[in-house]
Amino acid sequence: MTEPANDRPVSVALGLGGLLRIGGRAVAVADVLTLLNAIQATGSVQGVATELELSYRAAWDRLRNLEAALGHQLVQKTRGHGSALTPFGLSLRQVLGDATAGLAAALAREGRAVEASLTALFTETPRRLALAASHDLLLMEVVEALGEGEVAVVGSKEAVQRLLDGRADVAGFHLGAEPLSASGPPFAELADNPGLRVLPLFEREQGLMLAAGNPLGIRAFPDLAGRRARYVNRQKGSGTRLWFDRLLAEHAIPAAEVQGYGVEEFTHQAVAAVIATGTADAGLGARSAAERFGLHFLSIGWETYYLAASATLPTEALDRLVSAVAARAERSPGYKAPPRS
């Protein structure tokens, strides 16, 4: 009896492939690297045989055939120490190993996209998206309502890095008023990358969230330092923290002059809650969080919140999320749908 497809989880692991052609001979890159790594790890041909589940003779035959194809000796016996890679073998292993390491993140990312497609094909049920996203109340509410994704709340930098490394299907991030191409790593890796799909999700108003009634009379950004406001910051790597640090630089305000600069919270809502309890006087965050806690709000500007994913990730669930968020943004204070090109 055939086991139902939807009872079997789908898993995909992509690896380095291709052929290494020397003259008229061709050898699989993966086979070369596997043999070289086995020699380096075990220090003996017997170790290669055990690791690759071959007989001792078959392991030697494979090594000699590979050396004949490449035209160079790869392994040398050392008296009393088994076998070791020759200088040529070591260099070849280094070159192929570096290529594997350089492609590892992209292969892991594409492996997740293929896995999502195959899950839908085999089970006829879309796999839930794994989102790594900078915190936003509207986004979290829509994801929960749709029930098609799971969110790990992290800073914008971490969200993008998880996508690039293949540890998430989708990244949600923001940069203040900074364009992608000017934002440095890892954000700049998303700009004009044909392997990735980057979508503006909504525009969001950010500003200084201040104690109700603004008792310190803060009217402009420099007043944070001038009036000794107790500030609560966002964590390093968050888009809001990056924007705040740029604002400090623009106004020539040393971080040491901001009382509480080292005090960190991980969401807009947490920052607003700290201010609402009277523990702090100010923090940078979204208008939506300020209004939810009844705080005074001094606008700094609007920013775009983005989603990024592999270009080969199935689009249905992602498109539903984008549409639902855009519809909610159009009727929510402090948000608006992004301009469409």
Side-chain angles (χ1 to χ4, degrees):
M1 180 177 176
T2 303
E3 184 182 2
N6 56 10
D7 288 342
R8 291 173 286 171
V10 177
S11 178
V12 174
L14 302 180
L16 182 66
L19 296 175
L20 180 59
R21 296 187 183 277
I22 309 293
R25 306 285 292 271
V27 292
V29 171
D31 288 348
V32 176
L33 190 55
T34 297
L35 284 168
L36 295 178
N37 283 339
I39 284 289
Q40 185 70 6
T42 66
S44 71
V45 176
Q46 181 58 58
V48 173
T50 301
E51 191 156 315
L52 302 184
E53 297 182 346
L54 300 171
S55 68
Y56 181 80
R57 179 168 182 170
W60 261 117
D61 286 345
R62 185 171 292 191
L63 281 167
R64 294 308 179 211
N65 289 337
L66 182 57
E67 289 178 331
L70 297 177
H72 286 272
Q73 184 180 355
L74 298 176
V75 178
Q76 58 191 2
K77 284 186 172 292
T78 55
R79 184 183 299 273
H81 296 285
S83 299
L85 294 177
T86 63
F88 179 87
L90 286 169
S91 296
L92 181 60
R93 177 177 176 269
Q94 181 71 46
V95 170
L96 297 181
D98 287 348
T100 299
L103 291 170
L107 289 170
R109 186 171 67 246
E110 292 309 305
R112 290 190 69 96
V114 172
E115 187 179 287
S117 296
L118 292 181
T119 297
L121 178 64
F122 279 105
T123 68
E124 300 180 359
T125 302
R127 192 194 68 190
R128 287 166 62 86
L129 294 177
L131 287 86
S134 177
H135 182 260
D136 180 82
L137 291 169
L138 186 151
L139 175 61
M140 303 304 154
E141 289 170 358
V142 171
V143 171
E144 183 177 359
L146 289 177
E148 296 180 346
E150 298 175 353
V151 183
V153 176
V154 295
S156 286
K157 272 191 173 182
E158 175 68 13
V160 171
Q161 197 60 60
R162 288 192 186 194
L163 169 67
L164 294 175
D165 292 346
R167 292 179 287 144
D169 298 313
V170 183
F173 64 98
H174 59 105
L175 305 163
E178 192 94 332
L180 274 177
S181 57
S183 298
F187 306 109
E189 296 180 48
L190 303 177
D192 301 319
N193 187 329
L196 295 168
R197 184 184 180 201
V198 182
L199 303 169
L201 189 60
F202 52 74
E203 291 188 5
R204 178 175 71 175
E205 190 176 17
Q206 287 239 55
L208 290 176
M209 300 187 293
L210 306 168
N214 191 12
L216 294 182
I218 293 173
R219 300 285 181 261
F221 185 83
D223 291 342
L224 283 177
R227 307 208 175 190
R228 301 298 294 165
R230 296 168 300 163
Y231 188 76
V232 55
N233 215 341
R234 288 293 305 280
Q235 81 276 19
K236 298 178 184 68
S238 68
T240 300
R241 174 66 168 267
L242 294 171
W243 196 358
F244 183 70
D245 287 344
R246 286 199 300 271
L247 288 168
L248 289 178
E250 289 168 12
H251 290 89
I253 301 172
E257 291 188 11
V258 178
Q259 184 179 348
Y261 178 84
V263 177
E264 299 179 352
E265 291 291 344
F266 283 78
T267 68
H268 296 267
Q269 195 163 345
V271 171
V274 170
I275 298 168
T277 62
T279 308
D281 302 308
L284 189 62
R287 177 183 284 278
S288 57
E291 292 192 352
R292 181 165 294 197
F293 283 83
L295 302 179
H296 186 81
F297 184 77
L298 178 64
S299 179
I300 295 295
W302 290 79
E303 65 174 353
T304 301
Y305 190 106
Y306 297 91
L307 287 185
S310 167
T312 55
L313 186 76
T315 62
E316 292 81 3
L318 191 58
D319 288 344
R320 280 193 294 274
L321 175 61
V322 170
S323 296
V325 169
R328 180 83 64 95
E330 289 178 338
R331 61 178 188 269
S332 300
Y335 292 91
K336 57 187 177 183
R340 298 300 177 187
S341 56

